[in-house]
Amino acid sequence: MRSHVSLSQWVLLMIICSISSCLTQATLDHNDQTKITQDYIVYMGERPLGEFTASSLHLNTLQKVIGSASDHVSESLLHSYHRSFNGFLARLTQEQVQTLAGTDGVVSIFLNEKRQLHTTRSWDFMGFPKQVTRVKGVESNIIIGMLDTGIWPESESFSDDGFGPPPTNWKGSCQNSSDFSCNNKIIGAKFYRANGEFHQGDVKSPRDTEGHGTHTSSTAAGAFVSGASLSGFALGTARGGVPSSRIAVYKVCWSDGCYDADILAAFDDAIADGVDIISISVGGSEPKDYFNDSIAIGSFHAMKKGILTSISAGNSGPSPATVVNFSPWSLSVAASTIDRKFLAKVKLGNGETYEGVAINTYETKKHTIIYGGDAPNSEGGYNSSISRLCEQDSLDKTLVEGKIVLCDGLNNASGATNAGAVGSIMQGNSFRDVAFNFPIPATYLDTDDGNQVFDYYSNTRKPTAKILKSTQTTDDLAPLVVSFSSRGPNPITSDILKPDLAAPGVDILAAWTQANSEAAIPFNIISGTSMACPHATAVAAYVKSFHPSWSPSALMSALKTTAFPMRVEQNSDAEFAYGSGHINPVKARDPGLVYDAGIHDYIGFLCGQGYNTTNLRLITGDKNSCSASTNGSVWNLNYPSFTLSAKSGHSITRKFHRTVTNVGLASSTYKAIVKTQPGMKVRVTPKILCFDSVGEKKSFMVRVRAKMSRDMISSSLVWDDGSHQVRSPIVAYVPV
């Protein structure tokens, strides 16, 4: 029963380690063996109007810096982006990059870096039951583009029973092969691998061998599957948030991660194919400027075409400013707990039992315990300071084989497993709010209980233990934002609140790959903001089924202003953990008012961020220019939150101008209700908004004055008409 945990190990390893970004494979330049080439993405903005030959344009651009040797130029051009925006992937030297950066028509150049991948009960927990009101005919026409590891099409979650042909607006295709075909549920599927390198276990088709993409796709749009569980755990009916919606699969992630070039190629296709929502649970290791970031670029062009992109916030919490997806035109989703948790006990030879967290589908027999620090792989160059952590290759197999190994700190148990251990007892105080599954039975104890186990081991001539099968219990504190979920503030635009909201992302049961035939399981339980993202994706699709013409910003506004507030007592990072609050699917359908924004709003925002007219015209493909009249301050972007930063001990005053659109009752009156904390004063002008028709717009101004005697002050503004409560957080903080 080992195969189902491989991806969970990967997610866990990313959480407990700081993963540096990896560069693409370097090759030697044909003309100069001393010049190293690497793969770079050359972003050129919006695609030219009308028909154009992308390869010719891109080859001509390359020829200016490489020279006229046609063979060399052709070999350097690896891929052209042309369906939804303009750009290409090329193999270049650093000198060529510097020259190309100054060429007319080039917005940005950045390395093709590797990114990493960042559910039965969760929908009921959010108050979104199976019998919820739906517009079935419209929901069936919603197409969700999943950028992930692919999909396992034979899963019951993707049955097309009862589905008609694909929607008429669908322009995509299916890369059928001997091992893969689409149906009326999975209406499109493609895979991307610009560097052409495949590793053991990779399948050259949209088929998912990792499990992650199958899990996220079924969370968003999986069909009803009764009796779903992981070996009896989380037993119930598995379902996606919009089970009638269609899925278009874009496989951009493989066993070694997800490359920027492939992500951009998938965005290029998904936008042109006609998807309605894009979902991507992937992120980098460090923040980048918007137009040096493949996901920000792709989601910008999706926004221009009316497509919302839902993205995972990242798994690098709880440190501040670790959110990795933060563009204002996309939805950044944090991970929260649901009301169940999994516990794993270890029973020692002296009869004492200690309880930790883990998902064990079976228990061990009684085995001898050995402390990792007493079993270093000396021949491999390791000593006890490393082996006590049970890191990969650090343990002596002859000493560990057949035993339960006691480790200091949380790890993914691969070191113990590969050394032949039959179980692992770990101890630590970080990430205790999530249960991981491991390749062998394990438990993760707090340090107090871990010390008790160590004392027993140290003072017993033949110490033994038995790790029990896990038990499922209720978590009365849920929802709270899990510790690994990346936190704000926004690392690039400090006064735009990110993440946007929280959604279930802990211990989520959903469909899984069957790639390992020896120990295949149809469903698996894993955790991550990767799991939270498709929940938000589905809610956005659900809202869109009622309001097909709403813009991406209107959809985001509906989700955020109807989110229910979360408890600061359990979430000390407050809005930097959960944004506007916890997603509330049913209320999001009828928000009352929305904060809408379009391309011109974002152009003003980008002008205010220092982008020049030349680059903006390339990015947008129009004649807009940055000037004193168009430069918009970050505080005036029509965003459904209000954020300001200031130095510690200083006072600051900001004015925010906003416009709301009535999408509720035609005749309605909204009153401003402000809740403040000490140190902040808020004035709203006007305090009453009266509407006479649906679609009518009203503007108002919020003046916020904050004295920063502490790191963060949270308040809120609610527009209330008696039926709708349109809530926006107000946050003042001291930057890290």
Side-chain angles (χ1 to χ4, degrees):
M1 206 47 198
R2 294 187 177 185
S3 66
H4 72 276
V5 300
S6 59
L7 183 68
S8 184
Q9 289 177 259
W10 187 13
V11 174
L12 173 57
L13 187 60
M14 287 189 289
I15 291 172
I16 62 177
C17 301
S18 173
I19 300 182
S20 60
S21 57
C22 301
L23 300 180
T24 54
Q25 182 184 4
T27 59
L28 292 177
D29 185 277
H30 293 298
N31 296 325
D32 188 345
Q33 294 291 310
T34 65
K35 291 185 177 181
I36 302 298
T37 63
Q38 293 176 299
D39 294 352
Y40 287 87
I41 292 166
V42 181
Y43 173 57
M44 303 178 74
E46 184 60 77
R47 71 184 303 278
L49 294 175
E51 295 298 322
F52 79 107
T53 305
S55 58
S56 296
L57 173 64
H58 300 154
L59 285 170
N60 288 337
T61 302
L62 277 175
Q63 198 169 46
K64 295 175 183 178
V65 297
I66 294 179
S68 58
S70 58
D71 290 344
H72 193 189
V73 173
S74 299
E75 290 174 3
S76 296
L77 180 63
L78 304 178
H79 184 83
S80 289
Y81 308 105
H82 60 89
R83 296 187 70 195
S84 303
F85 46 85
N86 187 17
F88 58 91
L89 176 69
R91 190 155 290 167
L92 303 167
T93 66
Q94 186 60 45
E95 181 181 355
Q96 290 166 346
V97 168
Q98 292 172 354
T99 303
L100 194 58
T103 301
D104 290 343
V106 173
V107 176
S108 60
I109 305 178
F110 52 96
L111 272 169
N112 175 29
E113 292 185 334
K114 185 165 64 178
R115 296 168 181 253
Q116 300 294 346
L117 293 162
H118 281 182
T119 123
T120 59
R121 173 64 188 156
S122 55
W123 292 112
D124 288 324
F125 174 68
M126 291 189 289
F128 195 57
K130 287 181 266 188
Q131 299 80 15
V132 70
T133 301
R134 297 184 184 274
V135 188
K136 289 188 177 180
V138 179
E139 184 177 299
S140 184
N141 287 328
I142 299 290
I143 306 168
I144 300 176
M146 302 295 301
L147 277 62
D148 214 298
T149 63
I151 200 166
W152 192 265
E154 292 83 9
S155 169
E156 287 185 77
S157 294
F158 310 121
S159 168
D160 67 350
D161 288 348
F163 281 83
T168 56
N169 62 304
W170 172 244
K171 302 179 184 67
S173 61
C174 184
Q175 283 182 306
N176 291 306
S177 64
S178 59
D179 80 326
F180 189 95
S181 61
C182 295
N183 58 20
N184 285 328
K185 175 68 172 181
I186 305 171
I187 60 173
K190 301 175 183 177
F191 68 95
Y192 304 83
R193 191 65 167 173
N195 64 16
E197 297 173 1
F198 297 90
H199 301 278
Q200 185 176 2
D202 287 340
V203 175
K204 298 179 184 179
S205 84
R207 181 171 294 280
D208 179 15
T209 58
E210 301 299 316
H212 191 277
T214 300
H215 198 282
T216 55
S217 294
S218 62
T219 300
F224 291 85
V225 181
S226 60
S229 73
L230 171 62
S231 300
F233 291 122
L235 178 64
T237 298
R239 60 187 171 101
V242 280
S244 297
S245 292
R246 316 298 181 114
I247 298 171
V249 176
Y250 301 88
K251 182 177 177 179
V252 297
C253 298
W254 303 78
S255 58
D256 65 339
C258 327
Y259 282 94
D260 283 320
D262 300 326
I263 292 170
L264 268 180
F267 266 108
D268 192 24
D269 281 341
I271 296 167
D273 287 345
V275 304
D276 296 288
I277 306 281
I278 291 175
S279 185
I280 177 167
S281 295
V282 171
S285 59
E286 59 184 24
K288 291 184 176 182
D289 180 83
Y290 297 123
F291 295 105
N292 286 321
D293 183 295
S294 62
I295 297 176
I297 291 170
S299 59
F300 181 86
H301 288 279
M303 174 273 297
K304 282 195 64 186
K305 297 296 185 181
I307 303 166
L308 173 63
T309 302
S310 174
I311 321 177
S312 52
N315 291 342
S316 300
S319 298
T322 49
V323 59
V324 294
N325 291 311
F326 42 76
S327 62
W329 46 81
S330 62
L331 184 71
S332 179
V333 188
S336 59
T337 59
I338 61 174
D339 59 346
R340 70 178 174 211
K341 56 185 177 180
F342 299 96
L343 305 175
K345 294 180 180 179
V346 57
K347 185 175 183 179
L348 304 182
N350 62 4
E352 294 294 322
T353 300
Y354 299 95
E355 188 173 72
V357 290
I359 301 175
N360 296 323
T361 58
Y362 65 99
E363 63 182 41
T364 69
K365 296 179 180 179
K366 184 184 289 186
H367 292 280
T368 301
I369 303 174
I370 187 167
Y371 175 52
D374 291 338
N377 177 13
S378 302
E379 291 185 1
Y382 295 92
N383 57 35
S384 61
S385 67
I386 301 299
S387 66
R388 70 180 183 84
L389 303 174
C390 302
E391 292 189 359
Q392 187 69 37
D393 299 324
S394 68
L395 298 170
D396 187 328
K397 292 184 178 181
T398 59
L399 297 176
V400 170
E401 189 170 8
K403 298 176 183 176
I404 293 174
V405 61
L406 175 62
C407 308
D408 291 335
L410 177 65
N411 61 77
N412 64 3
S414 61
T417 302
N418 292 338
V422 294
S424 180
I425 303 169
M426 300 169 238
Q427 56 179 321
N429 289 325
S430 300
F431 306 114
R432 296 198 48 74
D433 48 3
V434 56
F436 296 104
N437 44 21
F438 299 93
I440 52 177
T443 187
Y444 179 43
L445 307 176
D446 63 32
T447 52
D448 289 340
D449 287 347
N451 287 334
Q452 293 294 320
V453 175
F454 184 78
D455 287 344
Y456 164 73
Y457 166 79
S458 301
N459 297 297
T460 304
R461 191 166 67 88
K462 292 184 177 180
T464 60
K466 178 181 181 180
I467 299 175
L468 306 182
K469 183 178 179 179
S470 295
T471 57
Q472 180 178 324
T473 187
T474 300
D475 184 355
D476 295 325
L477 295 178
L480 57 84
V481 176
V482 68
S483 53
F484 65 69
S485 185
S486 290
R487 266 52 171 184
N490 189 318
I492 295 294
T493 307
S494 58
D495 287 358
I496 292 288
L497 182 62
K498 291 289 178 175
D500 290 301
L501 47 72
V506 177
D507 298 334
I508 304 301
L509 181 85
W512 198 246
T513 179
Q514 305 285 283
N516 188 328
S517 58
E518 294 181 2
I521 54 169
F523 293 89
N524 198 8
I525 298 171
I526 58 175
S527 301
T529 54
S530 283
M531 285 62 256
C533 172
H535 279 89
T537 301
V539 177
Y542 175 70
V543 174
K544 189 174 180 67
S545 71
F546 287 86
H547 309 284
S549 64
W550 279 11
S551 69
S553 61
L555 292 173
M556 286 195 292
S557 175
L559 269 61
K560 293 195 282 186
T561 59
T562 59
F564 60 79
M566 298 184 74
R567 298 189 295 268
V568 177
E569 295 80 11
Q570 275 81 44
N571 300 274
S572 59
D573 298 312
E575 284 82 4
F576 290 150
Y578 49 68
S580 294
H582 195 281
I583 199 166
N584 189 334
V586 174
K587 279 204 169 186
R589 186 182 71 209
D590 181 23
L593 304 173
V594 294
Y595 293 76
D596 207 354
I599 183 63
H600 294 292
D601 299 278
Y602 292 117
I603 288 172
F605 162 77
L606 292 170
C607 285
Q609 294 292 292
Y611 288 86
N612 60 45
T613 295
T614 300
N615 277 350
L616 276 179
R617 287 183 175 178
L618 289 172
I619 292 166
T620 63
D622 56 30
K623 300 293 186 181
N624 287 292
S625 60
C626 292
S627 64
S629 61
T630 59
N631 282 12
S633 74
V634 63
W635 307 287
N636 289 335
L637 179 64
N638 206 36
Y639 211 67
S641 60
F642 308 88
T643 308
L644 58 159
S645 53
K647 294 180 180 179
S648 179
H650 288 228
S651 294
I652 185 171
T653 301
R654 292 286 184 206
K655 293 181 180 180
F656 301 83
H657 293 88
R658 295 289 190 270
T659 299
V660 288
T661 303
N662 181 26
V663 295
L665 299 174
S667 178
S668 54
T669 300
Y670 286 83
K671 296 181 180 179
I673 300 173
V674 175
K675 295 182 179 180
T676 60
Q677 287 187 346
M680 180 180 286
K681 293 182 179 180
V682 178
R683 187 175 70 201
V684 181
T685 308
K687 296 181 179 179
I688 297 177
L689 300 177
C690 298
F691 296 91
D692 297 316
S693 61
V694 175
E696 185 178 358
K697 299 178 183 292
K698 293 287 184 180
S699 297
F700 62 93
M701 187 268 289
V702 178
R703 182 181 183 274
V704 181
R705 179 172 175 80
K707 185 175 182 180
M708 303 310 300
S709 57
R710 48 201 169 104
D711 291 341
M712 188 176 184
I713 306 173
S714 299
S715 299
S716 65
L717 164 64
V718 177
W719 288 106
D720 193 334
D721 71 343
S723 299
H724 306 92
Q725 292 73 44
V726 188
R727 182 181 178 277
S728 294
I730 304 171
V731 178
Y733 74 101
V734 177
V736 178

CSV table of all heavy atoms in Angstrom, one decimal, residues 340-357:
chain,number,residue,atom,x,y,z
A,340,ARG,N,-12.8,17.6,10.0
A,340,ARG,CA,-12.3,16.3,10.3
A,340,ARG,C,-10.8,16.3,10.4
A,340,ARG,O,-10.1,17.1,9.7
A,340,ARG,CB,-12.8,15.2,9.3
A,340,ARG,CG,-12.1,15.4,7.9
A,340,ARG,CD,-12.6,14.3,7.0
A,340,ARG,NE,-12.1,14.5,5.6
A,340,ARG,CZ,-12.8,14.2,4.5
A,340,ARG,NH1,-14.0,13.6,4.6
A,340,ARG,NH2,-12.2,14.4,3.3
A,341,LYS,N,-10.2,15.4,11.2
A,341,LYS,CA,-8.8,15.2,11.2
A,341,LYS,C,-8.4,13.8,11.5
A,341,LYS,O,-9.3,13.0,12.0
A,341,LYS,CB,-8.2,16.1,12.3
A,341,LYS,CG,-8.7,15.9,13.7
A,341,LYS,CD,-8.2,17.0,14.7
A,341,LYS,CE,-8.8,16.8,16.1
A,341,LYS,NZ,-8.2,17.8,17.0
A,342,PHE,N,-7.2,13.4,11.2
A,342,PHE,CA,-6.8,12.0,11.3
A,342,PHE,C,-5.7,11.9,12.3
A,342,PHE,O,-4.7,12.7,12.2
A,342,PHE,CB,-6.3,11.5,9.9
A,342,PHE,CG,-7.4,11.5,8.9
A,342,PHE,CD1,-7.5,12.6,8.0
A,342,PHE,CD2,-8.3,10.5,8.8
A,342,PHE,CE1,-8.6,12.6,7.1
A,342,PHE,CE2,-9.4,10.5,7.9
A,342,PHE,CZ,-9.5,11.6,7.0
A,343,LEU,N,-5.8,11.0,13.2
A,343,LEU,CA,-4.9,10.8,14.3
A,343,LEU,C,-4.2,9.4,14.2
A,343,LEU,O,-4.9,8.5,13.8
A,343,LEU,CB,-5.6,11.0,15.7
A,343,LEU,CG,-6.3,12.3,15.9
A,343,LEU,CD1,-7.0,12.3,17.2
A,343,LEU,CD2,-5.3,13.5,15.8
A,344,ALA,N,-3.0,9.3,14.7
A,344,ALA,CA,-2.3,8.1,14.6
A,344,ALA,C,-1.5,7.8,16.0
A,344,ALA,O,-0.8,8.7,16.4
A,344,ALA,CB,-1.3,8.1,13.5
A,345,LYS,N,-1.8,6.7,16.6
A,345,LYS,CA,-1.2,6.4,17.9
A,345,LYS,C,-0.1,5.4,17.7
A,345,LYS,O,0.0,4.6,16.8
A,345,LYS,CB,-2.3,5.8,18.8
A,345,LYS,CG,-3.4,6.7,19.2
A,345,LYS,CD,-4.4,6.0,20.1
A,345,LYS,CE,-5.6,7.0,20.5
A,345,LYS,NZ,-6.6,6.3,21.3
A,346,VAL,N,0.8,5.6,18.7
A,346,VAL,CA,1.9,4.6,18.8
A,346,VAL,C,1.9,4.0,20.2
A,346,VAL,O,1.7,4.8,21.2
A,346,VAL,CB,3.3,5.2,18.5
A,346,VAL,CG1,3.6,6.4,19.5
A,346,VAL,CG2,4.4,4.2,18.7
A,347,LYS,N,1.9,2.7,20.3
A,347,LYS,CA,1.9,2.0,21.6
A,347,LYS,C,3.2,1.4,21.9
A,347,LYS,O,3.7,0.6,21.1
A,347,LYS,CB,0.8,0.9,21.6
A,347,LYS,CG,0.6,0.3,22.9
A,347,LYS,CD,-0.5,-0.7,22.9
A,347,LYS,CE,-0.8,-1.3,24.3
A,347,LYS,NZ,-1.9,-2.3,24.3
A,348,LEU,N,3.8,1.8,23.0
A,348,LEU,CA,5.2,1.4,23.3
A,348,LEU,C,5.1,0.0,24.1
A,348,LEU,O,4.1,-0.4,24.5
A,348,LEU,CB,5.9,2.4,24.2
A,348,LEU,CG,5.9,3.8,23.7
A,348,LEU,CD1,6.7,4.7,24.6
A,348,LEU,CD2,6.6,3.8,22.3
A,349,GLY,N,6.3,-0.6,24.1
A,349,GLY,CA,6.4,-1.9,24.8
A,349,GLY,C,6.0,-1.8,26.3
A,349,GLY,O,5.6,-2.9,26.9
A,350,ASN,N,6.1,-0.7,26.9
A,350,ASN,CA,5.7,-0.6,28.3
A,350,ASN,C,4.2,-0.3,28.5
A,350,ASN,O,3.7,0.0,29.6
A,350,ASN,CB,6.5,0.5,29.0
A,350,ASN,CG,6.3,1.9,28.4
A,350,ASN,OD1,5.4,2.1,27.5
A,350,ASN,ND2,7.0,2.9,28.9
A,351,GLY,N,3.4,-0.3,27.4
A,351,GLY,CA,2.0,-0.1,27.5
A,351,GLY,C,1.5,1.3,27.3
A,351,GLY,O,0.3,1.6,27.2
A,352,GLU,N,2.5,2.3,27.3
A,352,GLU,CA,2.1,3.7,27.2
A,352,GLU,C,1.8,4.0,25.7
A,352,GLU,O,2.4,3.4,24.8
A,352,GLU,CB,3.3,4.6,27.6
A,352,GLU,CG,3.6,4.6,29.1
A,352,GLU,CD,2.4,5.1,29.9
A,352,GLU,OE1,1.8,6.1,29.5
A,352,GLU,OE2,2.2,4.6,31.0
A,353,THR,N,0.7,4.8,25.5
A,353,THR,CA,0.3,5.2,24.2
A,353,THR,C,0.3,6.7,24.0
A,353,THR,O,-0.1,7.4,24.9
A,353,THR,CB,-1.2,4.7,23.9
A,353,THR,OG1,-1.2,3.2,24.1
A,353,THR,CG2,-1.7,5.0,22.5
A,354,TYR,N,0.8,7.1,22.8
A,354,TYR,CA,0.9,8.5,22.5
A,354,TYR,C,0.3,8.7,21.1
A,354,TYR,O,0.3,7.9,20.2
A,354,TYR,CB,2.4,9.0,22.5
A,354,TYR,CG,3.1,8.8,23.8
A,354,TYR,CD1,3.8,7.6,24.1
A,354,TYR,CD2,2.9,9.7,24.8
A,354,TYR,CE1,4.4,7.4,25.3
A,354,TYR,CE2,3.5,9.6,26.0
A,354,TYR,CZ,4.3,8.4,26.3
A,354,TYR,OH,4.9,8.2,27.5
A,355,GLU,N,-0.4,9.9,21.0
A,355,GLU,CA,-1.2,10.2,19.9
A,355,GLU,C,-0.6,11.3,19.0
A,355,GLU,O,-0.3,12.4,19.6
A,355,GLU,CB,-2.6,10.6,20.3
A,355,GLU,CG,-3.6,10.7,19.1
A,355,GLU,CD,-5.0,11.0,19.7
A,355,GLU,OE1,-5.3,12.1,20.2
A,355,GLU,OE2,-5.8,10.0,19.6
A,356,GLY,N,-0.4,11.1,17.8
A,356,GLY,CA,0.1,12.1,16.8
A,356,GLY,C,-0.8,12.2,15.7
A,356,GLY,O,-2.0,11.8,15.7
A,357,VAL,N,-0.3,12.9,14.6
A,357,VAL,CA,-1.1,13.1,13.4
A,357,VAL,C,-0.5,12.3,12.2
A,357,VAL,O,0.7,12.4,12.1
A,357,VAL,CB,-1.3,14.5,13.1
A,357,VAL,CG1,-2.2,15.2,14.1
A,357,VAL,CG2,0.0,15.3,13.0
